Amino acid sequence: RADVCLIMIDATEGVTEQDTKVAGMAHEAGKASIIVVNKWDLVEKDDKTMARMTEEIRRDLAYMTYAPILFISAKTGQGLDNLLEMVILTAEVLELKANPDASASGFVIEANLDKGRGPVATVLIQRGTLHTGDIVIAGKTVGRVRAMTDDRGRKLDSAGPSMPVEIIGLSEVPDAGDLFYAVEDERMARELAEQRKTEEKDEKAKMQEKITLENLFSHIKEGEVKDFNIIVKADVQGSAEAVTASLRKLSNEEVRVQVIHSGVGGINE
């Protein structure tokens, strides 16, 4: 859902396998990309080093031939002005625009359950303007924006396109990556959220293999595969998803790892 991708490379490590995968995903998605070499303050900052690293990047990321390469240091601030100018220039060339007068929409970056504030979601507004008091639906959850803060913790009454904000007021913790929309009809939004919950529940039920008369004897003959049921709880939704994906990969011929529930918040019965 990004408009411009920043491919971050560690100057002390060079292009890693993970960098190659991320760059490949951006390329396949057809996204405009800028290659950013960070930690430039930790290497010998001369023309030869820069030329050598540029050559290595062009070789390892051959499909990024036309992507600009910038050298920066997030620690010292070196090159950040050039990076900002390049992002703005790229946006202008691509004619990236958004209508600030429309109803807000965007997606959830991250979410967690705060003991004092309840469900908290960090969202990126891609279109329109979000206001305090707006009714929003994000995936399978609905709520009214009770409070909204920017990246420095300052309270806001409204936020426009391309702005990341933290909002509270949702009934549940949404999933990272969920689309969110500001709507006028709260009743319809709640009905849609319930419909999505039902669809997800049905989908999960279909994924779990059931023993029937047809496959009962094959299970007995082969030896019953033992299920190892796990509930995953984490501090934020992104961590819960990552842990769940890793656990499912542990299944083998003897034991099947099943994550029966995944969510955020404290441990409870």
Side-chain angles (χ1 to χ4, degrees), residues 135-167:
I135 300 168
V136 297
I137 177 171
K140 304 178 292 296
T141 182
V142 179
R144 187 182 295 272
V145 180
R146 296 203 314 266
M148 182 165 48
T149 55
D150 64 10
D151 58 315
R152 297 185 180 181
R154 297 174 297 194
K155 289 188 177 181
L156 303 172
D157 292 326
S158 62
S162 298
M163 191 168 183
V165 291
E166 190 177 77
I167 63 172

Side-chain angles (χ1 to χ4, degrees), residues 1 5 13 23 34 37 57 62 66 71 75 80 102 130-131 152 159-160 196 204 209 225 227:
R1 297 188 179 98
C5 296
E13 296 181 0
I34 301 172
V37 183
I57 293 172
Y66 300 105
F71 294 82
K75 182 178 180 180
L80 292 182
L130 184 65
H131 304 86
R152 297 185 180 181
R196 289 176 176 176
K204 286 182 178 179
E209 182 182 4
V225 176
D227 285 337

Side-chain angles (χ1 to χ4, degrees), residues 87-188:
V87 171
I88 294 174
L89 177 61
T90 303
E92 290 178 351
V93 171
L94 296 176
E95 297 184 346
L96 299 177
K97 299 177 181 179
N99 179 10
D101 299 323
S103 297
S105 63
F107 66 93
V108 178
I109 300 175
E110 190 54 278
N112 68 288
L113 184 63
D114 186 278
K115 289 184 178 180
R117 298 182 295 170
V120 179
T122 301
V123 302
L124 178 63
I125 302 168
Q126 292 185 301
R127 178 176 178 269
T129 299
L130 184 65
H131 304 86
T132 301
D134 282 353
I135 300 168
V136 297
I137 177 171
K140 304 178 292 296
T141 182
V142 179
R144 187 182 295 272
V145 180
R146 296 203 314 266
M148 182 165 48
T149 55
D150 64 10
D151 58 315
R152 297 185 180 181
R154 297 174 297 194
K155 289 188 177 181
L156 303 172
D157 292 326
S158 62
S162 298
M163 191 168 183
V165 291
E166 190 177 77
I167 63 172
I168 60 173
L170 294 174
S171 57
E172 300 175 26
V173 177
D175 293 333
D178 277 348
L179 295 175
F180 85 87
Y181 301 92
V183 297
E184 294 184 0
D185 192 329
E186 185 174 2
R187 183 184 61 83
M188 185 177 294

Side-chain angles (χ1 to χ4, degrees), residues 231-253:
I231 293 175
V232 176
K233 277 294 187 76
D235 58 343
V236 292
Q237 190 65 39
S239 298
E241 292 176 2
V243 172
T244 298
S246 297
L247 287 172
R248 283 177 174 155
K249 293 178 182 178
L250 298 178
S251 297
N252 55 38
E253 295 177 355

